[in-house]
């Protein structure tokens, strides 16, 4: 199967970009993501009040996403950063 790409794009709250710059290097769940075999690469981009996660994966999106959201480390990361984003 070919490598596929999905982009998650979110609007940051005012001041969120600066806070995220400090949080990402410490809290980003790299180890948990590396355990999801289908995920080949994750690229994080931020600027102009936007946050983008570009995820390259191989396989069925629904299966990969189910593994992603079932990870307690990834859930904890999302809980820590959710307040930085617009609803």
């Amino acid at each position: 199967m070919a490598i596929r790409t999905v982009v998650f794009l979110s609007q940051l709250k005012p001041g969120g970009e600066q806070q995220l710059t400090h949080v990402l290097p410490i809290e980003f769940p790299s180890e948990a993501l590396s355990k999801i075999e289908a995920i080949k690469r994750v690229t994080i981009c931020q600027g102009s009040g936007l946050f983008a996660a570009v995820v390259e994966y191989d396989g069925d999106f629904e299966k990969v996403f189910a593994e992603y959201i079932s990870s307690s480390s990834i859930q904890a990361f999302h809980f820590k950063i959710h307040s930085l984003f617009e609803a």
Side-chain angles (χ1 to χ4, degrees):
M1 187 172 270
I3 299 293
R4 297 177 180 192
T5 303
V6 64
V7 177
F8 297 97
L9 184 63
S10 298
Q11 180 76 41
L12 290 158
K13 289 181 179 177
E17 189 171 347
Q18 198 169 29
Q19 290 178 12
L20 193 59
T21 300
H22 296 290
V23 171
L24 276 176
I26 299 164
E27 301 292 341
F28 191 74
S30 299
E31 187 176 326
L33 289 169
S34 70
K35 291 179 182 177
I36 302 173
E37 189 175 311
I39 294 178
K40 303 305 178 191
R41 182 177 8 187
V42 176
T43 304
I44 301 299
C45 307
Q46 66 184 71
S48 300
L50 295 172
F51 169 87
V54 181
V55 180
E56 295 177 32
Y57 68 96
D58 185 17
D60 177 53
F61 176 79
E62 304 250 345
K63 182 180 177 199
V64 175
F65 191 66
E67 284 185 66
Y68 178 87
I69 61 172
S70 68
S71 166
S72 59
S73 297
I74 293 171
Q75 288 176 16
F77 172 71
H78 280 273
F79 181 77
K80 288 177 185 173
I81 67 167
H82 85 277
S83 66
L84 304 177
F85 296 93
E86 296 288 348

